Amino acid sequence: KKFCVSVLFLPLLCSQEVLGEERLKEILKERELKVYWGTATTGKPHVAYFVPMSKIADFLKAGCEVTILFADLHAYLDNMKAPWELLELRVQYYEQVIKAMLESIGVPLDKLKFVKGTDYQLSREYTLDVYRLSSMVTEHDAKKAGAEVVKQVEHPLLSGLLYPGLQALDEEYLKVDAQFGGVDQRKIFTLAEKYLPSLGYTKRIHMMNPMVPGLTGGKMSSSEEESKIDLLDKNQEVKKKLKKAFCEPGNVENNGVLSFAKHVLFPLQSEFVIKRDPKWGGDKVYTDYEEVEKDFAAEQIHPGDLKASVELALNKLLDPIRKKFETPELKKLTASAYPEPSKNRAKGNPKQTVDEEEVIPSRLDIRVGKVISVEKHPDADSLYLEKIDVGEEQPRTVVSGLVAYLSQEQLQDRLVVLLCNLKPQKMRGIESQAMLLCASMLGEPRKVEPLDPPEGSAPGDRVYVEGYESGKPDDELKPKKKVFEKLQVDLKISDEFVAQWKEQNLTTKLGQITCKTLKGGNIS
Ligand SMILES: *[C@@H]1O[C@H](CO)[C@@H](O)[C@H](O)[C@H]1NC(C)=O
């Protein structure tokens, strides 16, 4: 048992943070620790999942009892990231791929316990506890707890508020001493510590590991294709993504490739080899990440060589996983758990070609407009009625709910950005022929600001998302298809105050569309 204590502290030392270290020591005096790691079965797990996997390996080596939870209900509660009809397939995919990862890094599977959320979360006792909890946790606390985990949307669903509470209950129902997760889980962990005792249950220990940045430097996100390497990406795709990754000679800040070596490769391997032409000194073996960083900063390691070496090490980890997924059964599982979005829709409507159905931003007709006149809507206090020149013969009539945020003077003669191909819609009896795009921030009071076109813009200038310059907008977006609604979820104001779709700038031929103050805001 003494042995267990000391070995256990190794993984803890490299974890970012532990809540409840005293209780941890108490338990370890008596028995092995029971710990769980949960994953909501949403998008395809990517290479950053090797970080928790390496921790799981450490926990097992230290003699802990480890449970892995495939949280299928959570995948749905978080804004339906996994659609209802795919929940079961996603769980199967996660189980297969996570087991393949563990095998790839040499973790014995028979020592682990695998559990699916709905196997116990639908029991009478659990369900009653959800209700008990829902009358203790305030809306404010639930929202705050989920802020970094549950997708934040303008009209939050009740399901997202339930999410943190269920995660707290899981600790009790999985009969563990501790939960382990990324630091992004911190607020959910504190909610669990606060509320489990109110239900008469023990407060659990929480251990956290740091988040791994994506290859582009930001958070490794499943929605940003280029920033993440899928576990089943082929060698060429791995090469291509690494090639694109930001990695400047001598610059160790925001360097996704170095972070990857630090957080993923070093914890898994005892050494890391930088492959180099004999001309530049030949291969060099590293056993300590700090040395790599030092040499990179001193430009002793060239970005090209770093990328090639990371590629080699990563392919070694991925090979067994890709190989396992070559069987017809697992190929079929992958395809059915993650159907191609366009294929999926084309099936429902065979006449429609895939292209017409693809939800891409070039289908939006966004233009610069100039406000010619503004008046109050005769029948609605919150609405303005504007005449806006969008580069056509006649100005368009636009109805917008901006009375609470802007005066008529602030809008008069202003350049704005408009979505021009929505189906015209009557608002309190007057047809609105375009939508004035604004940035907004939730909160009390809610803040709203119209987007700003670049200086020197003229009415009618086309606004497009970088990378989607060439497509032709739809003549009119069919309301039922909800094309704008689907794209709108990913429209945001960046930290540099630039309007973006999936982190790609909205621009005109003259420059970026911006917003004065609402960084991080949504666009609608
Ligand atoms: C997007 O806008 C930001 C801020 O102006 C700029 O720094 C960045 O280079 C732009 N991205 C591209 C790909 O042009």
Side-chain angles (χ1 to χ4, degrees), residues 466 496 498 500 505 512:
E466 268 165 3
E496 281 83 43
V498 178
Q500 295 184 327
N505 295 343
Q512 278 112 27

Short mmCIF file of all heavy atoms in Angstrom, two decimals, residues 466 496 498 500 505 512, ligand 1:
data_model
loop_
_atom_site.label_atom_id
_atom_site.label_comp_id
_atom_site.label_asym_id
_atom_site.label_seq_id
_atom_site.Cartn_x
_atom_site.Cartn_y
_atom_site.Cartn_z
N GLU A 466 -13.71 33.84 -45.77
CA GLU A 466 -12.46 33.41 -46.40
C GLU A 466 -12.50 31.92 -46.70
O GLU A 466 -12.89 31.12 -45.86
CB GLU A 466 -11.29 33.69 -45.46
CG GLU A 466 -10.68 35.02 -45.71
CD GLU A 466 -9.79 35.44 -44.55
OE1 GLU A 466 -9.62 34.64 -43.61
OE2 GLU A 466 -9.27 36.55 -44.62
N GLU A 496 -9.93 39.56 -31.80
CA GLU A 496 -9.43 40.77 -32.49
C GLU A 496 -10.57 41.61 -33.04
O GLU A 496 -10.36 42.45 -33.90
CB GLU A 496 -8.48 40.39 -33.62
CG GLU A 496 -7.08 40.02 -33.18
CD GLU A 496 -7.01 38.56 -32.74
OE1 GLU A 496 -7.60 37.71 -33.45
OE2 GLU A 496 -6.42 38.28 -31.69
N VAL A 498 -12.93 40.75 -35.05
CA VAL A 498 -13.27 40.46 -36.44
C VAL A 498 -14.42 39.45 -36.47
O VAL A 498 -14.44 38.50 -35.69
CB VAL A 498 -12.04 39.88 -37.19
CG1 VAL A 498 -12.41 39.54 -38.63
CG2 VAL A 498 -10.88 40.87 -37.16
N GLN A 500 -16.28 36.33 -37.69
CA GLN A 500 -15.74 35.09 -38.25
C GLN A 500 -16.79 34.00 -38.32
O GLN A 500 -17.74 33.98 -37.55
CB GLN A 500 -14.60 34.56 -37.36
CG GLN A 500 -13.39 35.47 -37.32
CD GLN A 500 -12.26 34.86 -36.52
OE1 GLN A 500 -12.50 34.14 -35.56
NE2 GLN A 500 -11.04 35.14 -36.93
N ASN A 505 -12.19 34.64 -41.26
CA ASN A 505 -12.69 36.02 -41.29
C ASN A 505 -13.81 36.23 -42.31
O ASN A 505 -13.80 35.66 -43.38
CB ASN A 505 -11.55 36.97 -41.66
CG ASN A 505 -10.47 37.00 -40.59
OD1 ASN A 505 -10.70 36.56 -39.46
ND2 ASN A 505 -9.30 37.50 -40.95
N GLN A 512 -11.59 43.32 -43.50
CA GLN A 512 -12.44 42.52 -42.62
C GLN A 512 -13.68 43.24 -42.12
O GLN A 512 -13.68 44.45 -41.94
CB GLN A 512 -11.63 42.07 -41.40
CG GLN A 512 -10.77 40.86 -41.67
CD GLN A 512 -9.30 41.20 -41.64
OE1 GLN A 512 -8.89 42.14 -40.99
NE2 GLN A 512 -8.52 40.43 -42.36
C1 LIG B 1 -8.24 37.62 -40.01
O1 LIG B 1 -8.26 38.86 -39.34
C2 LIG B 1 -7.22 39.06 -38.40
C3 LIG B 1 -7.45 40.38 -37.70
O2 LIG B 1 -7.51 41.46 -38.61
C4 LIG B 1 -5.88 39.01 -39.11
O3 LIG B 1 -4.85 39.17 -38.17
C5 LIG B 1 -5.75 37.68 -39.82
O4 LIG B 1 -4.54 37.65 -40.56
C6 LIG B 1 -6.93 37.45 -40.76
N1 LIG B 1 -6.84 36.11 -41.31
C7 LIG B 1 -6.53 35.90 -42.59
C8 LIG B 1 -6.43 34.48 -42.97
O5 LIG B 1 -6.36 36.81 -43.40
#
